[in-house]
Amino acid sequence: MKHRLTVAAALALLAAGCSSLDNMRDGDSQIEYKSASKLPPLDIPPDLTSPKADGRYQLPDAAGGTATLSGYEKGRAQQAREGERGPRTVLPTVKGVRVERDGDQRWLVVDMPAEKVWPVVKTFWQENGLLIAQEYPEAGILETNWAENRAPIKDSWVNSKIGSIFRPLASTGTRDMYRTRLERTADGSTEVYISHRGLVEVYTSGDNTETAWQPRPPDPGLEIEFLRRLMVQLGTPAELAKREIAEAAPPKSRASLAKNLNGVETLEVYEPFDRAWRRVGLALDRVGFTVEDRDRQKGVYFVRYADPQGQKKEKDLLDKLAFWRSDKPQVKPEQYRVSVTASADNSQVQVLDHNGTAENSPTANRILALLHEQLK
C-alpha cells in the first residue's frame, strides 16, 4: 500500500508540473476511464464465411440507371467544379439536438421521446468506459460506477519511465461518477442533464500509510465535455458540437437565503419557475441526493438525505464501556420534499418533511445551504 501511494504521489507531482502541456490537448485525450466495458464487436458467426470485398469490378453508382463511361466522366467533372467553389454550407445547423444554456449550466434538448433517448445514453456511457451502476427509468435517472480517469497517467511522460510492470500500481488518487437525468418537455422532446461527482484519496494517518476517500467539488468541465460527446453520439458534427458547447453566458449571482414571514428559511431563486425547476434538479444531482420521484406540476422533488451532523450524540457511560462498537454514526436517510414555487418573476425553494409540512430544522437548513452553493 505504501509503495503504491509513493508511486501515486510522484505521478501527481509530475502531472502537476506538466499541467500546461495537458491544457493544450483536447478533451478526448484527457479522459480515459479504467473500468472500460466496450461493447463487443459484431463478429461473423463461425459457421458463416466472411465475404471478401473486391472493388476492381465494381461499376460507378448510376443511381439505378445504366452506367456508361461518358456519364461517369461527366459526374467526376461536375464534382471537381463544385470542389473548386468550396462547400455550400459550413457547420450547418443540425436538427434534432440543441444546447440550452442558463448562465454557466448547460443541457441538451433532443427532439425525440425519452424512450428513444434512454438506450442511446446507456450505450454512450459504456462506449466511454463507464458502467451503469444504477438506473431508475421511472425517474429518468442513470448513474455510472465510480471510475478512475487514467488519461493523466497514460499521457504523462512518466509513463515511459515507470514501465509496464509498475504501471498498474500508479493511481491518480481520484474517482469520478456521473448522473444523467432525462426530463420530458411539453412538445414531446427530451432534456438531458449530466452532473459530475468526484472523490479524492487523502491520508488519514500521521505516517502516511492509511488513506480514505473524501468528496471533492463537482467539475463543470467534465460535465461540458461529456455533453459535447453525447451531442456527437446523437449525430451532431464534432466541430459544431464543440462550438455550441463553448458558448456560455457570464455567471452571476442568482439565488440567496432568506426567511419568509413565518420565520422559515427559504431559498430565493431569481428566475421563473421553469428555469428554477431545472436548476434545482441539477443541483440535487450534483450534491448527490437520492431523488426517488418528482412532480413537476406541483413543483416537488421527493428526496432522501442522511444528515451526518444530525446523527451525532454525546456518549454515555454504557457507550464508552462498549469499546467494540464502531465510532462511526449509523446514518439513516430520511425522506424530504424539496418544493419549488413561483413567486412573481422569481421562485422560492423550501424543504418539507415527508408529510408536506414546512421544515425549519437544522437539517432542512443544511439542505438549503447545499442547494444555495450550487444555485448562487
Side-chain angles (χ1 to χ4, degrees):
M1 181 66 179
K2 187 174 182 179
H3 296 293
R4 174 184 176 276
L5 294 174
T6 302
V7 176
L11 286 170
L13 291 174
L14 291 169
C18 301
S19 60
S20 59
L21 296 176
D22 293 336
N23 292 334
M24 297 173 62
R25 300 171 180 160
D26 57 12
D28 291 335
S29 63
Q30 292 184 9
I31 301 177
E32 180 181 335
Y33 285 99
K34 185 176 180 180
S35 61
S37 178
K38 306 295 183 181
L39 294 178
L42 297 177
D43 296 330
I44 297 177
D47 56 338
L48 296 180
T49 303
S50 176
K52 296 182 179 180
D54 192 342
R56 290 179 298 172
Y57 307 107
Q58 292 181 356
L59 293 176
D61 184 13
T66 303
T68 62
L69 177 61
S70 59
Y72 174 72
E73 292 179 345
K74 182 178 179 180
R76 291 293 299 271
Q78 182 177 358
Q79 292 179 3
R81 289 193 299 270
E82 292 179 354
E84 293 176 357
R85 291 195 297 267
R88 297 182 179 180
T89 306
V90 178
L91 294 179
T93 302
V94 177
K95 296 182 179 180
V97 184
R98 68 180 187 274
V99 184
E100 292 288 341
R101 292 172 295 274
D102 189 2
D104 60 344
Q105 296 179 349
R106 301 168 180 83
W107 64 93
L108 302 183
V109 179
V110 185
D111 294 338
M112 289 193 299
E115 289 78 8
K116 292 186 177 181
V117 179
W118 181 269
V120 176
V121 174
K122 290 185 64 175
T123 303
F124 166 77
W125 286 119
Q126 291 178 345
E127 291 182 352
N128 279 274
L130 290 153
L131 306 178
I132 302 299
Q134 299 185 65
E135 53 182 292
Y136 308 96
E138 64 280 359
I141 293 176
L142 281 169
E143 289 186 354
T144 70
N145 65 325
W146 289 97
E148 179 185 24
N149 182 9
R150 303 287 293 179
I153 297 176
K154 179 180 178 181
D155 294 341
S156 175
W157 63 270
V158 183
N159 187 38
S160 61
K161 302 296 182 182
I162 62 178
S164 59
I165 297 178
F166 298 101
R167 194 171 301 140
L169 300 177
S171 172
T172 60
T174 60
R175 297 293 185 272
D176 300 307
M177 186 270 277
Y178 298 90
R179 177 183 291 180
T180 309
R181 181 164 53 87
L182 277 59
E183 291 269 6
R184 299 182 188 272
T185 62
D187 61 356
S189 300
T190 305
E191 296 175 341
V192 183
Y193 302 84
I194 294 179
S195 57
H196 165 260
R197 294 176 63 192
L199 295 174
V200 61
E201 191 176 16
V202 298
Y203 290 110
T204 58
S205 60
D207 56 356
N208 293 342
T209 58
E210 297 181 0
T211 64
W213 292 99
Q214 293 185 0
R216 78 178 198 270
D219 190 339
L222 291 174
E223 297 171 354
I224 292 172
E225 171 60 20
F226 277 110
L227 281 175
R228 182 192 69 81
R229 293 187 181 190
L230 183 55
M231 287 187 70
V232 176
Q233 182 90 355
L234 291 167
T236 305
E239 287 299 321
L240 178 59
K242 185 177 181 180
R243 184 188 67 182
E244 295 218 354
I245 286 291
E247 297 176 356
K252 59 181 180 179
S253 178
R254 290 168 295 170
S256 64
L257 291 170
K259 292 185 180 292
N260 60 15
L261 298 177
N262 298 324
V264 178
E265 185 108 8
T266 61
L267 179 60
E268 293 284 340
V269 182
Y270 309 133
E271 289 177 316
F273 173 81
D274 288 341
R275 291 186 178 182
W277 172 261
R278 289 193 294 262
R279 295 189 62 214
V280 169
L282 184 57
L284 291 171
D285 292 341
R286 282 179 170 176
V287 174
F289 285 89
T290 302
V291 180
E292 296 182 326
D293 200 357
R294 59 181 179 269
D295 189 335
R296 186 185 179 110
Q297 292 184 346
K298 296 181 179 180
V300 176
Y301 287 96
F302 299 86
V303 303
R304 283 195 178 273
Y305 174 66
D307 187 2
Q309 299 185 25
Q311 301 290 331
K312 293 181 179 180
K313 66 177 182 177
E314 294 294 332
K315 289 186 177 181
D316 55 19
L317 180 59
L318 294 178
D319 291 331
K320 293 179 180 179
L321 291 176
F323 56 87
W324 60 86
R325 295 179 182 174
S326 174
D327 291 334
K328 296 181 179 180
Q330 299 298 323
V331 182
K332 181 180 179 181
E334 297 184 11
Q335 189 182 67
Y336 295 92
R337 300 183 186 183
V338 178
S339 171
V340 184
T341 57
S343 177
D345 294 334
N346 300 331
S347 302
Q348 284 189 348
V349 180
Q350 277 188 291
V351 177
L352 315 177
D353 61 15
H354 65 281
N355 294 319
T357 305
E359 274 269 351
N360 199 27
S361 62
T363 300
N365 294 340
R366 272 189 287 273
I367 293 175
L368 289 177
L370 290 172
L371 294 178
H372 178 238
E373 285 297 319
Q374 299 296 325
L375 298 173
K376 65 181 181 180

